[in-house]
Amino acid sequence: MTTTTGPLATRRLILQGAACVALLGLGNLPFAAAPARAAANDKYPEEAFKQKSEADAIKALYGKSAEPSDKVKLDAPEIAENGGVVPVSVTTTLDKVTSISFLVAENPFALAASYRIADGTIPAVANRLKMAKTTNLVAIVEADGKLYSATKEVKVTVGGCGG
Amino acid sequence: MASSIRVRATSNGDITEVQALIQHPMDTGLVKNPNGELIPAHYIQQLKFEWNGKDVFVADWGTAVSKDPYVKFSFKGAKKGDEIKISWTDNKGASDTTTAKIA
């Protein structure tokens, strides 16, 4: 746990501003703000992918919670005949999008994929996910430092974790 | 050996649409083989798309991404003939890199 606190704290710092730096006792970070940011952005969020619940995964990844928004459009099938390959996509009309993540609420590990959106990249992504059973699919969009979500239930007829 | 990455990048004026398909088992580590032994987790953790020396799109993946993953996104600024570089690394330390010309 101790090894991962650093990068996670760093990410939170960036999101919430330098004011938290002193509080967390990482006072040396502001001097290396630019490299620290690059490092945090490059790092694979190992801990977030280990979280079992949706809320814990969002917290581990972003350090805050999301509010539902109709500006996040989540496209997924009503019924997935093969839970091993569920095509899902997200688009949003929000500005300043920095990241888009997909979570499957009742998978063994909730976080499925997280995408970092650079400046100049359109905030839309399509991919294919595994879903263990009928459950909620959640898309999170990080825009201008805030989190927005969209949720859709996908009925899975054959689970995606049986191989 | 042929690359594990297949990429199609097409320019439509200012916007370049990129589609990638990667050959990878994406084993979750939760599935048993016919002998009842767990198949160890083996999945891509990070996939990067680089254009003009900068990451335009970075994917962090867990085990819930489907076998032979597919991803699609678009970005602005590139033109026909530009090259993009695609690379992935998985949880066992394997990696692959390829480049694609924008058509």
Side-chain angles (χ1 to χ4, degrees):
Chain A
M1 197 59 209
T2 40
T3 49
T4 49
T5 317
L8 288 176
T10 312
R11 165 161 275 201
R12 214 165 297 160
L13 284 175
I14 291 158
L15 297 171
Q16 295 185 345
C20 303
V21 169
L23 287 174
L24 288 170
L26 297 169
N28 59 329
L29 270 177
F31 303 107
R37 170 180 230 154
N41 279 347
D42 275 354
K43 189 144 169 63
Y44 178 72
E46 188 104 42
E47 204 58 32
F49 279 105
K50 285 186 193 152
Q51 303 301 321
K52 298 200 184 302
S53 88
E54 182 196 330
D56 287 348
I58 296 172
K59 218 170 177 189
L61 191 61
Y62 294 109
K64 55 192 164 185
S65 54
E67 56 175 271
S69 166
D70 58 3
K71 288 181 176 159
V72 179
K73 293 260 178 303
L74 173 61
D75 192 21
E78 297 276 332
I79 297 171
E81 279 175 21
N82 178 2
V85 190
V86 185
V88 301
S89 65
V90 161
T91 57
T92 178
T93 51
L94 290 160
D95 267 346
K96 296 188 190 165
V97 173
T98 47
S99 127
I100 295 178
S101 298
F102 293 90
L103 297 105
V104 183
E106 289 192 38
N107 265 9
F109 303 101
L111 183 59
S114 180
Y115 298 94
R116 283 175 244 155
I117 311 293
D119 262 358
T121 298
I122 317 283
V125 57
N127 59 181
R128 300 172 186 154
L129 303 179
K130 292 176 209 160
M131 300 182 79
K133 53 182 164 185
T134 298
T135 178
N136 275 343
L137 173 72
V138 181
I140 303 281
V141 171
E142 185 184 28
D144 206 7
K146 287 210 177 84
L147 295 186
Y148 303 91
S149 69
T151 303
K152 183 169 177 179
E153 192 194 53
V154 178
K155 291 192 168 60
V156 176
T157 43
V158 180
C161 288
Chain B
M1 201 185 99
S3 172
S4 63
I5 310 171
R6 283 171 55 203
V7 185
R8 180 179 295 162
T10 48
S11 164
N12 170 24
D14 191 37
I15 293 173
T16 302
E17 184 183 274
V18 183
Q19 294 183 79
L21 195 58
I22 300 159
Q23 278 179 6
H24 200 283
M26 297 300 284
D27 289 317
T28 59
L30 307 167
V31 178
K32 286 182 178 153
N33 68 13
N35 300 328
E37 298 148 347
L38 274 184
I39 302 166
H42 186 203
Y43 58 99
I44 294 176
Q45 292 190 315
Q46 198 162 69
L47 168 72
K48 284 186 180 188
F49 295 81
E50 202 178 298
W51 167 72
N52 217 355
K54 113 183 171 166
D55 290 338
V56 287
F57 191 74
V58 180
D60 290 322
W61 280 346
T63 53
V65 171
S66 298
K67 180 179 184 238
D68 297 336
Y70 164 86
V71 68
K72 179 171 97 171
F73 74 99
S74 307
F75 70 101
K76 288 186 210 163
K79 41 185 203 305
K80 277 187 209 296
D82 283 3
E83 254 189 9
I84 52 171
K85 186 178 152 196
I86 302 96
S87 51
W88 59 256
T89 50
D90 70 21
N91 67 322
K92 291 185 175 177
S95 63
D96 198 3
T97 302
T98 194
T99 55
K101 258 205 173 73
I102 298 170

